[in-house]
mmCIF file of all heavy atoms in Angstrom:
data_model
loop_
_atom_site.group_PDB
_atom_site.id
_atom_site.type_symbol
_atom_site.label_atom_id
_atom_site.label_comp_id
_atom_site.label_asym_id
_atom_site.label_seq_id
_atom_site.Cartn_x
_atom_site.Cartn_y
_atom_site.Cartn_z
ATOM 1 N N SER A 170 88.076 69.447 116.570
ATOM 2 C CA SER A 170 89.508 69.134 116.864
ATOM 3 C C SER A 170 89.895 69.822 118.170
ATOM 4 O O SER A 170 89.021 70.103 118.984
ATOM 5 C CB SER A 170 90.360 69.610 115.697
ATOM 6 O OG SER A 170 90.183 70.964 115.503
ATOM 7 N N LYS A 171 91.171 70.118 118.336
ATOM 8 C CA LYS A 171 91.633 70.875 119.532
ATOM 9 C C LYS A 171 92.244 72.203 119.113
ATOM 10 O O LYS A 171 93.134 72.247 118.252
ATOM 11 C CB LYS A 171 92.674 70.032 120.286
ATOM 12 C CG LYS A 171 92.094 68.953 121.154
ATOM 13 C CD LYS A 171 93.199 68.369 122.089
ATOM 14 C CE LYS A 171 92.635 67.611 123.269
ATOM 15 N NZ LYS A 171 91.904 66.386 122.865
ATOM 16 N N ALA A 172 91.782 73.270 119.748
ATOM 17 C CA ALA A 172 92.268 74.593 119.357
ATOM 18 C C ALA A 172 92.438 75.481 120.564
ATOM 19 O O ALA A 172 91.667 75.397 121.535
ATOM 20 C CB ALA A 172 91.301 75.236 118.344
ATOM 21 N N SER A 173 93.420 76.395 120.518
ATOM 22 C CA SER A 173 93.586 77.453 121.498
ATOM 23 C C SER A 173 93.413 78.782 120.711
ATOM 24 O O SER A 173 93.827 78.898 119.601
ATOM 25 C CB SER A 173 94.979 77.447 122.117
ATOM 26 O OG SER A 173 95.054 76.369 123.003
ATOM 27 N N TYR A 174 92.794 79.761 121.376
ATOM 28 C CA TYR A 174 92.681 81.039 120.739
ATOM 29 C C TYR A 174 92.855 82.179 121.729
ATOM 30 O O TYR A 174 92.633 81.978 122.951
ATOM 31 C CB TYR A 174 91.371 81.192 119.987
ATOM 32 C CG TYR A 174 90.114 80.831 120.728
ATOM 33 C CD1 TYR A 174 89.273 81.828 121.232
ATOM 34 C CD2 TYR A 174 89.727 79.512 120.921
ATOM 35 C CE1 TYR A 174 88.098 81.500 121.877
ATOM 36 C CE2 TYR A 174 88.563 79.175 121.573
ATOM 37 C CZ TYR A 174 87.744 80.194 122.049
ATOM 38 O OH TYR A 174 86.570 79.880 122.700
ATOM 39 N N SER A 175 93.329 83.325 121.233
ATOM 40 C CA SER A 175 93.719 84.392 122.155
ATOM 41 C C SER A 175 92.521 84.912 122.943
ATOM 42 O O SER A 175 91.410 85.019 122.385
ATOM 43 C CB SER A 175 94.340 85.545 121.361
ATOM 44 O OG SER A 175 93.480 86.026 120.348
ATOM 45 N N PRO A 176 92.713 85.183 124.253
ATOM 46 C CA PRO A 176 91.574 85.641 125.068
ATOM 47 C C PRO A 176 91.228 87.086 124.768
ATOM 48 O O PRO A 176 92.082 87.873 124.398
ATOM 49 C CB PRO A 176 92.133 85.547 126.517
ATOM 50 C CG PRO A 176 93.617 85.604 126.368
ATOM 51 C CD PRO A 176 93.955 85.061 125.012
ATOM 52 N N LYS A 177 89.936 87.427 124.855
ATOM 53 C CA LYS A 177 89.426 88.772 124.655
ATOM 54 C C LYS A 177 90.015 89.411 123.395
ATOM 55 O O LYS A 177 90.049 88.796 122.352
ATOM 56 C CB LYS A 177 89.647 89.574 125.909
ATOM 57 C CG LYS A 177 88.944 89.064 127.135
ATOM 58 C CD LYS A 177 89.150 89.900 128.349
ATOM 59 C CE LYS A 177 88.475 89.316 129.552
ATOM 60 N NZ LYS A 177 88.741 90.066 130.788
ATOM 61 N N SER A 178 90.445 90.682 123.536
ATOM 62 C CA SER A 178 91.067 91.330 122.359
ATOM 63 C C SER A 178 92.576 91.458 122.577
ATOM 64 O O SER A 178 93.130 92.543 122.527
ATOM 65 C CB SER A 178 90.470 92.738 122.175
ATOM 66 O OG SER A 178 89.160 92.606 121.779
ATOM 67 N N TYR A 179 93.240 90.324 122.841
ATOM 68 C CA TYR A 179 94.676 90.374 123.033
ATOM 69 C C TYR A 179 95.345 90.443 121.651
ATOM 70 O O TYR A 179 95.788 89.448 121.090
ATOM 71 C CB TYR A 179 95.103 89.077 123.755
ATOM 72 C CG TYR A 179 94.984 89.135 125.263
ATOM 73 C CD1 TYR A 179 93.985 89.848 125.858
ATOM 74 C CD2 TYR A 179 95.918 88.471 126.082
ATOM 75 C CE1 TYR A 179 93.878 89.928 127.241
ATOM 76 C CE2 TYR A 179 95.798 88.533 127.485
ATOM 77 C CZ TYR A 179 94.780 89.246 128.050
ATOM 78 O OH TYR A 179 94.664 89.347 129.402
ATOM 79 N N ASN A 180 95.453 91.678 121.121
ATOM 80 C CA ASN A 180 95.950 91.777 119.740
ATOM 81 C C ASN A 180 97.081 92.787 119.551
ATOM 82 O O ASN A 180 97.353 93.204 118.443
ATOM 83 C CB ASN A 180 94.786 92.102 118.806
ATOM 84 C CG ASN A 180 94.076 93.428 119.153
ATOM 85 O OD1 ASN A 180 94.648 94.295 119.809
ATOM 86 N ND2 ASN A 180 92.863 93.573 118.675
ATOM 87 N N ASN A 181 97.704 93.229 120.690
ATOM 88 C CA ASN A 181 98.778 94.213 120.560
ATOM 89 C C ASN A 181 100.135 93.573 120.960
ATOM 90 O O ASN A 181 100.255 92.366 121.112
ATOM 91 C CB ASN A 181 98.477 95.478 121.362
ATOM 92 C CG ASN A 181 98.350 95.169 122.858
ATOM 93 O OD1 ASN A 181 98.760 94.088 123.326
ATOM 94 N ND2 ASN A 181 97.800 96.113 123.614
ATOM 95 N N LYS A 182 101.154 94.454 121.139
ATOM 96 C CA LYS A 182 102.515 93.938 121.365
ATOM 97 C C LYS A 182 102.657 93.162 122.668
ATOM 98 O O LYS A 182 103.601 92.379 122.857
ATOM 99 C CB LYS A 182 103.555 95.073 121.346
ATOM 100 C CG LYS A 182 103.352 96.157 122.398
ATOM 101 C CD LYS A 182 104.393 97.234 122.228
ATOM 102 C CE LYS A 182 104.196 98.352 123.266
ATOM 103 N NZ LYS A 182 105.178 99.412 123.073
ATOM 104 N N TYR A 183 101.689 93.341 123.609
ATOM 105 C CA TYR A 183 101.710 92.563 124.841
ATOM 106 C C TYR A 183 100.752 91.346 124.718
ATOM 107 O O TYR A 183 101.063 90.260 125.128
ATOM 108 C CB TYR A 183 101.270 93.410 126.047
ATOM 109 C CG TYR A 183 102.131 94.629 126.232
ATOM 110 C CD1 TYR A 183 101.591 95.905 126.016
ATOM 111 C CD2 TYR A 183 103.458 94.528 126.620
ATOM 112 C CE1 TYR A 183 102.372 97.043 126.172
ATOM 113 C CE2 TYR A 183 104.244 95.683 126.795
ATOM 114 C CZ TYR A 183 103.698 96.934 126.551
ATOM 115 O OH TYR A 183 104.472 98.048 126.698
ATOM 116 N N GLY A 184 99.588 91.633 124.121
ATOM 117 C CA GLY A 184 98.577 90.597 124.030
ATOM 118 C C GLY A 184 98.924 89.434 123.157
ATOM 119 O O GLY A 184 98.627 88.235 123.499
ATOM 120 N N VAL A 185 99.580 89.701 122.016
ATOM 121 C CA VAL A 185 99.929 88.598 121.095
ATOM 122 C C VAL A 185 100.957 87.631 121.710
ATOM 123 O O VAL A 185 100.693 86.431 121.704
ATOM 124 C CB VAL A 185 100.414 89.170 119.731
ATOM 125 C CG1 VAL A 185 101.098 88.076 118.892
ATOM 126 C CG2 VAL A 185 99.270 89.780 118.976
ATOM 127 N N PRO A 186 102.059 88.122 122.285
ATOM 128 C CA PRO A 186 102.989 87.141 122.925
ATOM 129 C C PRO A 186 102.309 86.358 124.070
ATOM 130 O O PRO A 186 102.506 85.147 124.201
ATOM 131 C CB PRO A 186 104.119 88.023 123.489
ATOM 132 C CG PRO A 186 104.061 89.249 122.641
ATOM 133 C CD PRO A 186 102.602 89.482 122.289
ATOM 134 N N LEU A 187 101.474 87.047 124.891
ATOM 135 C CA LEU A 187 100.759 86.375 125.985
ATOM 136 C C LEU A 187 99.825 85.290 125.443
ATOM 137 O O LEU A 187 99.680 84.231 126.042
ATOM 138 C CB LEU A 187 99.980 87.368 126.824
ATOM 139 C CG LEU A 187 100.790 88.266 127.755
ATOM 140 C CD1 LEU A 187 99.937 89.394 128.369
ATOM 141 C CD2 LEU A 187 101.433 87.461 128.905
ATOM 142 N N SER A 188 99.220 85.601 124.306
ATOM 143 C CA SER A 188 98.279 84.611 123.695
ATOM 144 C C SER A 188 99.033 83.373 123.232
ATOM 145 O O SER A 188 98.478 82.256 123.319
ATOM 146 C CB SER A 188 97.583 85.248 122.461
ATOM 147 O OG SER A 188 96.815 86.349 122.862
ATOM 148 N N LEU A 189 100.264 83.541 122.768
ATOM 149 C CA LEU A 189 101.035 82.366 122.332
ATOM 150 C C LEU A 189 101.349 81.456 123.516
ATOM 151 O O LEU A 189 101.512 80.235 123.292
ATOM 152 C CB LEU A 189 102.320 82.843 121.646
ATOM 153 C CG LEU A 189 102.183 83.177 120.160
ATOM 154 C CD1 LEU A 189 103.313 84.076 119.705
ATOM 155 C CD2 LEU A 189 102.145 81.951 119.301
ATOM 156 N N PHE A 190 101.383 81.994 124.739
ATOM 157 C CA PHE A 190 101.604 81.188 125.932
ATOM 158 C C PHE A 190 100.423 80.162 126.142
ATOM 159 O O PHE A 190 100.599 79.176 126.858
ATOM 160 C CB PHE A 190 101.725 82.005 127.204
ATOM 161 C CG PHE A 190 103.022 82.811 127.272
ATOM 162 C CD1 PHE A 190 103.933 82.807 126.208
ATOM 163 C CD2 PHE A 190 103.353 83.550 128.392
ATOM 164 C CE1 PHE A 190 105.125 83.563 126.287
ATOM 165 C CE2 PHE A 190 104.519 84.263 128.503
ATOM 166 C CZ PHE A 190 105.416 84.268 127.410
ATOM 167 N N ASN A 191 99.326 80.460 125.501
ATOM 168 C CA ASN A 191 98.131 79.603 125.706
ATOM 169 C C ASN A 191 98.131 78.350 124.866
ATOM 170 O O ASN A 191 97.289 77.462 125.038
ATOM 171 C CB ASN A 191 96.833 80.367 125.332
ATOM 172 C CG ASN A 191 96.443 81.347 126.415
ATOM 173 O OD1 ASN A 191 96.886 81.197 127.568
ATOM 174 N ND2 ASN A 191 95.641 82.309 126.081
ATOM 175 N N ILE A 192 99.021 78.288 123.885
ATOM 176 C CA ILE A 192 99.026 77.150 122.998
ATOM 177 C C ILE A 192 99.406 75.855 123.781
ATOM 178 O O ILE A 192 100.374 75.869 124.538
ATOM 179 C CB ILE A 192 100.031 77.301 121.824
ATOM 180 C CG1 ILE A 192 99.520 78.399 120.867
ATOM 181 C CG2 ILE A 192 100.193 76.047 121.004
ATOM 182 C CD1 ILE A 192 100.333 78.539 119.601
ATOM 183 N N ASN A 193 98.632 74.813 123.566
ATOM 184 C CA ASN A 193 98.915 73.528 124.242
ATOM 185 C C ASN A 193 99.653 72.631 123.244
ATOM 186 O O ASN A 193 99.518 72.776 122.031
ATOM 187 C CB ASN A 193 97.599 72.873 124.662
ATOM 188 C CG ASN A 193 96.905 73.673 125.750
ATOM 189 O OD1 ASN A 193 97.527 74.116 126.715
ATOM 190 N ND2 ASN A 193 95.635 73.945 125.531
ATOM 191 N N LYS A 194 100.381 71.670 123.807
ATOM 192 C CA LYS A 194 101.193 70.741 122.991
ATOM 193 C C LYS A 194 100.409 69.982 121.972
ATOM 194 O O LYS A 194 100.809 69.740 120.872
ATOM 195 C CB LYS A 194 101.945 69.787 123.917
ATOM 196 C CG LYS A 194 103.416 69.662 123.598
ATOM 197 C CD LYS A 194 104.109 68.785 124.614
ATOM 198 C CE LYS A 194 105.522 69.334 124.836
ATOM 199 N NZ LYS A 194 106.176 68.664 125.968
ATOM 200 N N ASN A 195 99.183 69.582 122.414
ATOM 201 C CA ASN A 195 98.362 68.723 121.529
ATOM 202 C C ASN A 195 97.335 69.496 120.715
ATOM 203 O O ASN A 195 96.415 68.915 120.151
ATOM 204 C CB ASN A 195 97.686 67.610 122.354
ATOM 205 C CG ASN A 195 96.845 68.178 123.482
ATOM 206 O OD1 ASN A 195 96.909 69.402 123.746
ATOM 207 N ND2 ASN A 195 96.081 67.336 124.117
ATOM 208 N N ASP A 196 97.476 70.827 120.637
ATOM 209 C CA ASP A 196 96.522 71.587 119.827
ATOM 210 C C ASP A 196 96.754 71.338 118.354
ATOM 211 O O ASP A 196 97.883 71.269 117.866
ATOM 212 C CB ASP A 196 96.724 73.107 120.083
ATOM 213 C CG ASP A 196 96.021 73.587 121.345
ATOM 214 O OD1 ASP A 196 95.063 72.910 121.754
ATOM 215 O OD2 ASP A 196 96.386 74.647 121.858
ATOM 216 N N ASP A 197 95.617 71.275 117.619
ATOM 217 C CA ASP A 197 95.697 71.190 116.149
ATOM 218 C C ASP A 197 95.726 72.594 115.539
ATOM 219 O O ASP A 197 96.247 72.783 114.449
ATOM 220 C CB ASP A 197 94.483 70.438 115.573
ATOM 221 C CG ASP A 197 94.383 69.009 116.141
ATOM 222 O OD1 ASP A 197 95.372 68.277 116.026
ATOM 223 O OD2 ASP A 197 93.311 68.676 116.748
ATOM 224 N N PHE A 198 95.131 73.531 116.264
ATOM 225 C CA PHE A 198 95.019 74.894 115.721
ATOM 226 C C PHE A 198 95.284 75.925 116.795
ATOM 227 O O PHE A 198 94.933 75.727 117.967
ATOM 228 C CB PHE A 198 93.588 75.139 115.161
ATOM 229 C CG PHE A 198 93.256 74.237 113.996
ATOM 230 C CD1 PHE A 198 92.554 73.054 114.203
ATOM 231 C CD2 PHE A 198 93.685 74.526 112.690
ATOM 232 C CE1 PHE A 198 92.252 72.199 113.144
ATOM 233 C CE2 PHE A 198 93.401 73.702 111.654
ATOM 234 C CZ PHE A 198 92.673 72.506 111.863
ATOM 235 N N GLY A 199 95.880 77.031 116.376
ATOM 236 C CA GLY A 199 96.025 78.206 117.229
ATOM 237 C C GLY A 199 95.493 79.399 116.463
ATOM 238 O O GLY A 199 95.860 79.576 115.291
ATOM 239 N N ILE A 200 94.618 80.209 117.084
ATOM 240 C CA ILE A 200 94.007 81.287 116.376
ATOM 241 C C ILE A 200 94.240 82.621 117.108
ATOM 242 O O ILE A 200 93.984 82.727 118.307
ATOM 243 C CB ILE A 200 92.444 81.051 116.245
ATOM 244 C CG1 ILE A 200 92.174 79.697 115.607
ATOM 245 C CG2 ILE A 200 91.787 82.157 115.431
ATOM 246 C CD1 ILE A 200 91.043 78.933 116.186
ATOM 247 N N PHE A 201 94.768 83.584 116.376
ATOM 248 C CA PHE A 201 95.201 84.835 116.961
ATOM 249 C C PHE A 201 94.649 86.006 116.187
ATOM 250 O O PHE A 201 94.431 85.907 114.989
ATOM 251 C CB PHE A 201 96.750 84.937 117.003
ATOM 252 C CG PHE A 201 97.367 83.742 117.749
ATOM 253 C CD1 PHE A 201 97.711 82.609 117.049
ATOM 254 C CD2 PHE A 201 97.548 83.809 119.118
ATOM 255 C CE1 PHE A 201 98.219 81.524 117.717
ATOM 256 C CE2 PHE A 201 98.072 82.708 119.773
ATOM 257 C CZ PHE A 201 98.427 81.572 119.067
ATOM 258 N N GLU A 202 94.539 87.149 116.873
ATOM 259 C CA GLU A 202 94.142 88.367 116.144
ATOM 260 C C GLU A 202 95.244 89.395 116.265
ATOM 261 O O GLU A 202 95.972 89.437 117.249
ATOM 262 C CB GLU A 202 92.826 88.945 116.656
ATOM 263 C CG GLU A 202 92.788 89.337 118.084
ATOM 264 C CD GLU A 202 91.458 89.999 118.447
ATOM 265 O OE1 GLU A 202 91.168 91.094 117.949
ATOM 266 O OE2 GLU A 202 90.726 89.423 119.298
ATOM 267 N N ILE A 203 95.379 90.183 115.222
ATOM 268 C CA ILE A 203 96.438 91.207 115.182
ATOM 269 C C ILE A 203 95.788 92.549 114.951
ATOM 270 O O ILE A 203 95.142 92.804 113.941
ATOM 271 C CB ILE A 203 97.431 90.924 113.987
ATOM 272 C CG1 ILE A 203 98.147 89.591 114.222
ATOM 273 C CG2 ILE A 203 98.435 92.046 113.849
ATOM 274 C CD1 ILE A 203 99.034 89.162 113.077
ATOM 275 N N GLY A 204 95.965 93.465 115.930
ATOM 276 C CA GLY A 204 95.468 94.839 115.791
ATOM 277 C C GLY A 204 96.578 95.795 115.453
ATOM 278 O O GLY A 204 97.768 95.386 115.418
#
């Protein structure tokens, strides 16, 4: 399918919001990590 996921270890208070910017309109899935 189509998926976006957070780059490297973007899992803190800066990395998580920045990772959300990567989501595309036609993505079926978004995958994030939380540290």
Side-chain angles (χ1 to χ4, degrees):
S170 58
K171 279 192 163 63
S173 288
Y174 50 103
S175 56
K177 298 182 182 176
S178 290
Y179 275 35
N180 61 21
N181 61 16
K182 63 181 178 181
Y183 304 110
V185 167
L187 285 170
S188 298
L189 276 159
F190 288 5
N191 283 341
I192 291 186
N193 296 312
K194 228 175 216 171
N195 55 352
D196 278 339
D197 301 305
F198 298 96
I200 306 141
F201 304 90
E202 61 175 295
I203 298 175

